[in-house]
């Protein structure tokens, strides 16, 4: 018979959750709020969203964890796609806590970021903004730190799901995390640091139309394999046909 790979539905939170938490949406660097519809319309840093995400992951694991037709699980879907930067209030508060853990003191932050330039020095961590667009460029160190913070936060979001789900699965069931390469790089690094193996395979969504230059698809696959060379590489989505379009012929 056929086997199935199930997926946690956290890429597409329902409208009732959106209405219950008006500040749930991610915010782009230009200040615009992502609207409901499609997918990726909830901030992964919002505490209520993370709570509901783990709750439904736990419920699905309890219900289908030992189902004989289930071969494996995919966590979420393409985390980090559309935009990896979330400048919402929830993300900004999490970033400020991340900075405090990274730098220890505001004085060190000011010195390492060179914030004396244009009188940008901070007095407290809770004064540090998200790198939204402004007339003059933000400090490059600020922008780089925010990118790292967002990728780490997304990786931790997926790893929390994996640990929740694994509690209900037999060892033979595989788990993959669907995300962009920078997020996966941090996920596997964090997993190694914790000496765990909750995400035991690498997931590939292979769309050559998105990597049209010669050699780019091969480079993409090589980067993914490098994340955990000892782990299986599983292609869970791929472009079918010879056309460079997902709507190409079969």
């Amino acid at each position: 018979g056929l086997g199935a790979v199930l997926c946690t539905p956290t890429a597409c939170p329902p409208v009732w959750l959106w209405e219950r938490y008006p500040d749930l949406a991610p915010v782009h660097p230009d200040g615009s709020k992502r609207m409901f519809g499609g997918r990726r319309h909830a901030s992964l840093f919002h505490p209520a969203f993370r709570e509901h995400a783990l709750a439904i992951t736990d419920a699905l694991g309890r219900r289908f964890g030992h189902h004989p037709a289930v071969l494996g699980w995919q966590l979420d879907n393409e985390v980090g796609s559309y935009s990896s930067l979330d400048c919402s209030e929830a993300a900004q508060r999490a970033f400020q806590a991340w900075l405090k853990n990274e730098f220890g003191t505001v004085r060190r932050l000011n010195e390492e970021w060179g914030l004396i330039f244009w009188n940008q020095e901070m007095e407290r961590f809770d004064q540090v903004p998200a790198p939204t667009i402004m007339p003059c460029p933000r400090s490059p160190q600020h922008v780089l730190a925010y990118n790292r913070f967002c990728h780490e936060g997304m990786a931790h979001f997926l790893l929390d799901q994996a640990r929740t789900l694994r509690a209900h699965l037999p060892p033979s069931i595989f788990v993959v995390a669907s995300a962009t390469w920078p997020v996966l790089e941090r996920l596997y690094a964090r997993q190694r640091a914790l000496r765990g193996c909750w995400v035991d395979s690498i997931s590939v969504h292979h769309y050559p139309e998105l990597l049209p230059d010669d050699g780019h698809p091969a480079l993409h696959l090589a980067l993914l394999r490098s994340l955990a060379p000892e782990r299986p590489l599983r292609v869970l989505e791929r472009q079918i046909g010879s056309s460079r379009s997902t709507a190409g012929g079969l």
Side-chain angles (χ1 to χ4, degrees), residues 91-233:
Q92 182 171 310
R93 288 192 296 269
F95 177 56
Q96 292 161 351
W98 184 87
L99 288 175
K100 186 174 184 179
N101 183 64
E102 287 287 310
F103 290 93
T105 67
V106 177
R107 178 178 179 178
R108 181 184 168 200
L109 171 73
N110 287 328
E111 290 176 350
E112 293 197 12
W113 284 11
L115 295 182
I116 193 173
F117 183 69
W118 280 346
N119 197 28
Q120 298 180 81
E121 290 175 299
M122 301 293 167
E123 297 175 338
R124 305 184 310 275
F125 284 107
D126 63 9
Q127 294 173 324
V128 182
T132 49
I133 294 174
M134 63 179 190
C136 298
R138 296 281 187 184
S139 160
Q141 296 94 326
H142 185 176
V143 175
L144 178 60
Y146 205 83
N147 274 272
R148 288 173 172 165
F149 153 75
C150 285
H151 290 143
E152 281 188 17
M154 293 172 182
H156 291 180
F157 170 78
L158 289 168
L159 202 53
D160 286 346
Q161 280 198 38
R163 297 174 75 170
T164 299
L165 187 60
R166 270 289 173 203
H168 307 297
L169 306 183
S172 59
I173 301 299
F174 71 82
V175 174
V176 299
S178 176
T180 58
W181 188 87
V183 177
L184 291 176
E185 189 275 332
R186 284 157 178 79
L187 184 151
Y188 285 102
R190 177 64 175 165
Q191 185 168 257
R192 286 191 293 271
L194 295 173
R195 300 184 183 276
C197 188
W198 301 280
V199 180
D200 65 346
S201 300
I202 300 172
S203 171
V204 179
H205 291 188
H206 192 49
Y207 292 97
E209 68 164 333
L210 303 178
L211 302 165
D213 295 335
D214 291 343
H216 277 196
L219 175 62
H220 176 63
L221 292 173
L223 284 171
L224 288 171
R225 289 191 184 97
S226 73
L227 293 170
E230 74 283 2
R231 299 294 174 190
L233 186 72

Side-chain angles (χ1 to χ4, degrees), residues 55-76:
I56 196 166
T57 298
D58 183 71
L60 287 169
R62 291 177 185 275
R63 174 64 180 83
F64 297 106
H66 289 268
H67 195 288
V70 176
L71 302 176
W73 292 77
Q74 174 180 291
L75 305 174
D76 206 283

